[in-house]
Amino acid sequence: MSTLALRPWTDLVKLHPDVEEGALTEAVFAIDLGAIASGDHNVPVVNRDPEAFFRATYLTSDLRKLLDEVLASLAGKSGYNRVLKLRTPFGGGKSHTLASLLHAARKREALDIIPEGKGFARPKNVAVAVFDGEKFDARNGKELDGGRTIRTMWGWLAWQIDPERAFPIVAQHDEDRVSPGGDVIRDVLTKGSGGRPVLLLLDEVLKYMERAAAVAVLDSTLQRQAKDFFQNLTVEVSGSTNAALVYSLTWSAREALGNVSLLAEIDKLAARVDQLREPVTGDEVLPILQRRLLDAIPDLATATDVATSYQEVVTGVRKAYAETPAERLQAEEEGRLLRDRMRSAYPFHPALIDVMRERWTAVDAFQRTRGVLRFLASCMHSLKRNGGAQPLLGPGDVPIKDVDVRVKMLKELGVQNDYDPVITADIDGPNARAKRIDERMAREDPALAGVKPATRIATAILLYSFGGLRREGAGEAETLPPGVTESELLAACVSPGLDNITATAVLSELRNACLYLHYDGVRYCFKKDPNVTKLIEDAEQAITREEAQSKGRGSVRDKIKGMLDARLAGHHAAIVWPVKSQDIPDEDPRFLVAYLPLEFAGECKADQESQAKELLAKFGDRPRRFRNGLGLAIPNKKQIEALRRAVRYLLAIEQVDAKKQQLRLTKDQLDQLKERKRTEEAAAESCFRDLYAAVWLPRVEGGEIDIERVERGGRPLQAAGIQQRIMELLTSVGTPRVYGSVTPRKIAERVKLGESTTSGESPILGIKASDVLESFFRDIAPPRLESSSVLGKGIARGVTEGIFAYTSGLQPALGPDGKFQIARDKVVIGRTLAEDEVDFESGFIMAPSAVPEVAAAQGSVPAGPGVPTPGPGTPVQPGVPDSASPTTPSKPADDRQSIVRLKFKATRDQIHRAFLAIANLAGKSDEGKVTMNVEGTSTDGFDPSWLRNAVEEPLNEADIERMVGE
């Protein structure tokens, strides 16, 4: 079947006779469980007759499981849950589920009419007792035909089990309204039933408990007695051999009549023995709709042809929005999933079902399954009778012009006539904006006359304007605002007869023309109040023209720079939008981040690299001094246009707000203006978060300045601020490029303290602190440090640990004995040196071997043979005895190992998981240390730069000294 040959679904689908005739009454959908149990002839046959009922019932997976558990329990089989709780949203299939259990227990053979019902257990002669908490009166009870009055829940259940055997057991308890104990309840279930299986169905328990609180019983209340009975009942049924109890509670506090604590208390009473079941989940609602509304399952080939045609169009839309190959592949995969859903849902568009199931359920008045059935039945009846159907029934194909459909929809959503002005003015009135657009487009392209694209899109937006999607990861009550995004809307409305380009153009016209259509920059939504969109759009278009005339150098750019300045205020290491190299300071040794202007993203690659190298290498006409302390934050081209758009609208909103008295804006319109401003501010903030996601650093390649690119990629950043995110990228994501600390050994290694620079030369025994500072911030090599204070802390630590010595003042000369000629008391080594004592102007660092000897004091006793004198660089360890004699370790017990050796191969993830075990071993080892031999092999060889940055630098930062020869 080609796309041009697709026929309306009304030509290919056979409706249920009652749907086609419009004869479905409220009673067909609103099941009265008590009336069914009593055999009331006013109940429609489809609900009252077991075979007719199961013929119209689709057994969902949970309903099948529920039937299996209950029937097996009634048949005396062990290992099944006997107390089951139904928690469903209002109208979520709960009554239908209870009716299924009622019919299956009373007439098991009726289930055999459907193939999937034949395999369940077959209990015989089941006593079924139904308690409808909505109908049973707490104060007056239930009056029977003979004049007897049953006063309590336990009395009514016992009467239904057996009025002659079961009821007398609790008759006095019923009369006194005092809850029977567990032994009495057990007698009712066993002796009272004469050994028959017993099925107890309790519906709307919460409503009965709420009313029972107002009935006094001696010093108690009927509610307290009923709760006691309910808890005892669940315990006794749970321990029985052939009884089952299924009861229902509302799904959430929103539906609990405001009594959240009572709902929680009832829920807790049976929590020890019950199991939760939800009758309808996910796409199981689709076959339910087909079974209830159609006379026969649609032809699979027809459904496949229609679904494939729609899939091709919708996938094209999604691929048009895709920016990367991965996103295009995802669009194709989503298209295949949509095709399968469309085939299962035919003749319904899945988007229509999703609107009602995922969004309208957030509306208090909407009943999930029951409301969907009622609304769809009226739509199908109208389209069958009046024509105008498309190949699928989607959100845009709902016949809003039919008064009966409109009334049913608005009634289901609890808004009644509130939206009549919206529909009349913008969607389907005699002079509606959507209708005028459709008429003009039909004149330009007659093929669109039957499609009515503006009416279709406006109708779809109206359906998306109620309720809201549940916020991901949030609670049940937290939903996103009503409305629909452009991509969601197009996916729901495009079809073989309406392409993406036309639909997008129509949507733009609707946004400008409609009086009640609100657009907050993200979602489209019809509201009862007129909008200020047109005023904002006109101002935004004027700003866009000004921006084009100024070639991107106008008010929008100024506004963005001001917003960026505000977000980076207080960060002295951040330089905003430097134009030339002199705009980036070169006086202080600290790591700076220069945020390049937005225009940089539009340059070609060669120009970008040329400009970047100029900024990194020079300060005006001279070479940059602190080249190792600079990074360039690169603007993300994908975020720039979205940011400009948000800022244009912010400027437009400011202009409209400035003219509010002249325009005579109402309070509601001013509120809408504020709401739109908040939306655009949030959009701009989101763009700013990801505006700079890469940093370019200088590196030396072949003796020339080159660029090292550090990009976030798909790695998430936790920080919120712009500067904080950039520093997180440089310090914490992947291999660190900038460090907030440096080890003393790394300092000594960097300046080659104690090493010879060339073969045959004397080793470097001392160096000025200023030269150390220059080495870290001038020479392009890792590690880069955040500031000079980081280096100061490292030097102070090195002096304290005796790795090198420190003095200040005039630079000392090196004597012929290899010692610096300076008074020993002016040299600090092996004792605490405060960070602020390190002076980078006059400080001098020397190797421990070059520290002058301490002169022996008069009268001192020379050290005896074999007792070493503490020399320079040997810090005194508190608690260590002054003896040179080695301490002999005690011998471990016979059953304890003194040495543990482990050798294994491990992946990256396994090493992470094994870390705790190794740390535990180190904690119990001598000196709190273990010796580790690590060997990694690579056929292609390890890149030296990567090895240095990813392995050696982190080890140095952890202050791990590799052993000689390793």
Side-chain angles (χ1 to χ4, degrees), residues 549-781:
Q549 292 170 359
S550 64
K551 297 182 179 179
R553 298 274 176 176
S555 59
V556 174
R557 186 182 190 276
D558 294 341
K559 178 77 171 178
I560 293 175
K561 187 176 187 300
M563 295 171 76
L564 185 59
D565 282 334
R567 283 159 175 77
L568 292 173
H571 296 286
H572 302 298
I575 313 300
V576 179
W577 291 7
V579 177
K580 51 188 183 298
S581 61
Q582 297 98 310
D583 295 336
I584 305 174
D586 193 31
E587 303 91 13
D588 296 327
R590 58 178 173 176
F591 189 82
L592 302 177
V593 179
Y595 292 83
L596 300 191
L598 306 185
E599 303 83 51
F600 184 84
E603 304 282 352
C604 68
K605 183 178 179 181
D607 288 346
Q608 285 183 338
E609 292 184 353
S610 175
Q611 291 179 38
K613 290 176 182 179
E614 175 80 13
L615 295 173
L616 292 170
K618 292 186 177 182
F619 180 78
D621 296 332
R622 67 170 174 81
R624 181 170 290 278
R625 179 183 176 190
F626 296 129
R627 295 178 300 176
N628 206 40
L630 175 61
L632 305 179
I634 308 301
N636 182 355
K637 191 173 183 179
K638 288 185 178 180
Q639 296 295 329
I640 291 175
E641 187 48 45
L643 177 60
R644 283 177 174 151
R645 180 211 153 278
V647 171
R648 282 198 305 270
Y649 276 105
L650 284 173
L651 290 171
I653 291 166
E654 291 175 3
Q655 292 181 8
V656 174
D657 187 59
K659 298 178 181 177
K660 59 187 175 185
Q661 293 182 341
Q662 177 184 344
L663 296 170
R664 297 182 179 180
L665 298 183
T666 66
K667 181 181 181 301
D668 288 341
Q669 289 174 321
L670 290 173
D671 288 342
Q672 292 165 20
L673 202 62
K674 292 177 182 177
E675 179 185 343
R676 179 66 181 273
K677 183 178 181 179
R678 286 193 295 269
T679 299
E680 297 301 342
E681 286 174 340
E685 188 63 39
S686 176
C687 293
F688 273 120
R689 280 176 59 85
D690 295 322
L691 182 60
Y692 291 95
V695 179
W696 288 5
L697 300 171
R699 70 174 181 181
V700 177
E701 192 75 31
E704 298 290 334
I705 291 286
D706 201 356
I707 295 170
E708 177 186 1
R709 292 168 172 81
V710 183
E711 298 179 349
R712 189 187 75 184
R715 295 170 291 193
L717 298 176
Q718 304 302 318
I722 297 174
Q723 176 74 359
Q724 292 91 331
R725 289 168 70 83
I726 287 293
M727 293 308 297
E728 181 184 346
L729 174 64
L730 292 172
T731 60
S732 304
V733 178
T735 302
R737 268 66 173 200
V738 178
Y739 292 85
S741 65
V742 62
T743 65
R745 296 190 185 281
K746 185 62 185 178
I747 296 173
E749 176 187 321
R750 179 65 173 259
V751 298
K752 301 187 182 302
L753 187 64
E755 301 178 22
S756 299
T757 54
T758 57
S759 178
E761 287 192 4
S762 300
I764 298 173
L765 297 178
I767 184 172
K768 291 190 292 184
S770 59
D771 290 341
V772 178
L773 186 67
E774 286 283 328
S775 174
F776 274 93
F777 285 91
R778 178 196 62 210
D779 301 337
I780 300 175

Side-chain angles (χ1 to χ4, degrees), residues 303-316:
T304 300
D305 285 339
V306 174
T308 302
S309 298
Y310 272 78
Q311 172 212 352
E312 292 171 355
V313 180
V314 175
T315 300

Side-chain angles (χ1 to χ4, degrees), residues 854-862:
V854 179
Q858 284 187 344
S860 62
V861 180

